[in-house]
Structure formats: structure tokens, C-alpha cells
């Protein structure tokens, strides 16, 4: 690692060894270089590689960081955990999900799967898409999960029947998700 290749702000990020740091910068500004330099600096100064966690947004950045770090430390015992946010969170959930009484091999559905499932439920319940469409239900589910579980759920006073239908669709959606586990 050559600190002379870094600007003042980059050096500061690399040399700050107490606690976590957050690096926010635009594309092509050297974030990956800073993070891999910091990881190398920590390891060179006695930090056990398995105690290092680096999280980024993209698979490409994660892969690049792993390659750069491993190139510098071929054969070290233990490697830093370098991951994307999504990968890290899934790994964490799989290890700790038992607290919520869910199985370790839970499924994660994406937006496409969610849309397909909601459309199936609307069709099965013979609900006209002009009355309630999948986008409305997806927004409702998001709202419901955000506010109901915090105890702040308030029913709409504008259309009580529609609220009951939304709740019915949500309940069916939840049942089908559980069956997928």
C-alpha cells in the first residue's frame, strides 16, 4: 500500500483506525482504493483480518475490493468480510432468524415475484383491477407493514369497504408467503 497515491481526504480515511467510517463520494473518485487501502493498513497494523467488515452497494465493487485485498495478502489466515449490503443482511438474517422463529432457509421474493403473487390473489378473489390494482396493493402492504406494526395504523375513513378488501388481500398475501417457506 502506497499512501503517496492518495489525496489528503483519502489518507485521512485510511489512517482513521478508531471505529467505523463512512465514505460517500461520486463514481470514479477512488472509494474502492480508499477502502482497500484502509483494510490493508488495518491488517498491517495488527488487526485480525476476520475482524474487518467492508460493505458496499454493488457486486462489482465488492468483487473488486476482495480481489485487491487478497492480492496483497495471499495466504493470510482469515480474510476480511467484504460484501454488499444485501448479501451481508441475508447472511446476518440466516444466522439470527431463529430469534423470530423462522427457518434458516427462508425465501426472499423480489419485486417481480411480489407483483405476480398480488396479481394472482386479485384474480383468485375476482377483484376488478379498476377497483384495486396490484400497485395499490403493493403500496398498501408497504404502508401497512411500516405503520401497523408500530401500532399507528389508522383505517381510511373514505372507503371502509375498500380497506377491508385491502386487508383481506394482505392477509392472503401473508398466508401464501408463509406457505412458500
Amino acid at each position: 500500500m502506497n499512501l503517496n497515491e492518495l489525496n489528503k481526504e483519502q489518507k485521512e480515511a485510511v489512517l482513521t483506525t478508531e471505529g467505523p467510517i463512512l465514505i460517500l463520494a461520486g463514481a470514479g473518485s477512488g472509494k474502492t482504493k480508499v477502502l482497500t487501502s484502509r483494510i490493508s493498513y488495518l491488517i498491517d497494523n495488527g488487526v485480525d483480518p476476520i475482524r474487518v467488515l467492508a460493505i458496499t452497494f454493488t457486486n462489482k465493487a465488492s468483487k473488486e475490493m476482495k480481489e485487491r485485498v487478497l492480492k496483497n495478502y495471499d495466504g493470510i489466515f482469515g480474510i476480511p468480510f467484504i460484501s454488499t449490503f444485501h448479501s451481508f443482511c441475508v447472511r446476518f438474517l440466516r444466522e439470527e432468524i431463529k430469534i423470530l422463529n423462522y427457518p434458516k432457509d427462508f425465501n426472499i421474493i423480489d419485486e417481480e415475484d411480489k407483483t405476480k403473487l398480488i396479481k394472482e390473489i386479485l384474480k383468485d378473489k375476482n377483484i376488478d383491477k379498476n377497483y384495486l390494482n396490484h400497485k395499490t396493493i403493493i403500496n398498501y402492504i408497504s404502508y401497512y407493514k411500516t405503520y401497523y406494526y408500530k401500532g399507528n395504523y389508522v383505517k381510511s375513513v373514505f372507503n371502509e369497504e375498500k380497506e377491508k378488501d385491502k386487508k383481506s388481500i394482505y392477509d392472503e398475501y401473508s398466508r401464501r408467503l408463509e406457505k412458500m417457506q
Side-chain angles (χ1 to χ4, degrees):
M1 173 195 52
N2 186 354
L3 290 176
N4 294 329
E5 296 175 3
L6 305 174
N7 66 32
K8 179 183 169 209
E9 291 80 13
Q10 290 172 326
K11 281 182 191 173
E12 182 181 350
V14 169
L15 298 175
T16 301
T17 59
E18 293 300 317
I21 62 167
L22 173 64
I23 299 172
L24 294 174
S29 60
K31 293 181 299 294
T32 303
K33 184 176 193 171
V34 169
L35 290 170
T36 55
S37 296
R38 180 176 170 159
I39 291 167
S40 296
Y41 184 80
L42 290 169
I43 294 170
D44 289 347
N45 285 279
V47 173
D48 186 341
I50 64 171
R51 297 188 49 85
V52 174
L53 169 65
I55 299 179
T56 187
F57 283 104
T58 67
N59 287 323
K60 180 181 176 188
S62 176
K63 181 181 178 199
E64 178 70 22
M65 288 171 60
K66 287 175 191 174
E67 288 172 357
R68 289 185 193 186
V69 169
L70 291 176
K71 180 178 74 176
N72 293 333
Y73 296 98
D74 189 33
I76 61 171
F77 181 74
I79 58 171
F81 187 77
I82 301 171
S83 176
T84 63
F85 279 102
H86 291 100
S87 180
F88 172 76
C89 290
V90 168
R91 182 176 173 170
F92 178 81
L93 280 173
R94 292 215 189 277
E95 290 178 14
E96 302 298 331
I97 200 76
K98 61 188 169 286
I99 294 168
L100 300 174
N101 294 319
Y102 283 98
K104 272 186 151 182
D105 61 343
F106 61 87
N107 293 313
I108 297 175
I109 67 168
D110 61 17
E111 289 301 313
E112 186 178 327
D113 295 330
K114 184 185 336 181
T115 298
K116 182 180 173 188
L117 183 56
I118 295 295
K119 285 181 175 181
E120 285 175 10
I121 293 168
L122 290 170
K123 183 179 177 188
D124 292 349
K125 288 184 168 283
N126 294 318
I127 294 178
D128 184 349
K129 66 181 174 185
N130 293 319
Y131 173 67
L132 283 174
N133 63 48
H134 71 278
K135 290 179 184 177
T136 299
I137 298 301
I138 289 170
N139 288 335
Y140 170 79
I141 289 170
S142 176
Y143 179 85
Y144 187 81
K145 285 182 174 184
T146 300
Y147 295 103
Y148 178 73
Y149 290 117
K150 292 180 180 177
N152 299 325
Y153 181 68
V154 179
K155 289 183 179 179
S156 168
V157 293
F158 299 108
N159 190 332
E160 188 72 27
E161 191 61 35
K162 198 176 261 190
E163 290 301 311
K164 288 178 184 175
D165 290 337
K166 288 179 187 175
K167 179 69 169 78
S168 170
I169 294 164
Y170 172 78
D171 289 342
E172 180 60 24
Y173 174 77
S174 296
R175 276 191 288 281
R176 292 188 188 191
L177 286 179
E178 282 200 30
K179 283 183 182 177
M180 295 170 74
Q181 296 302 330

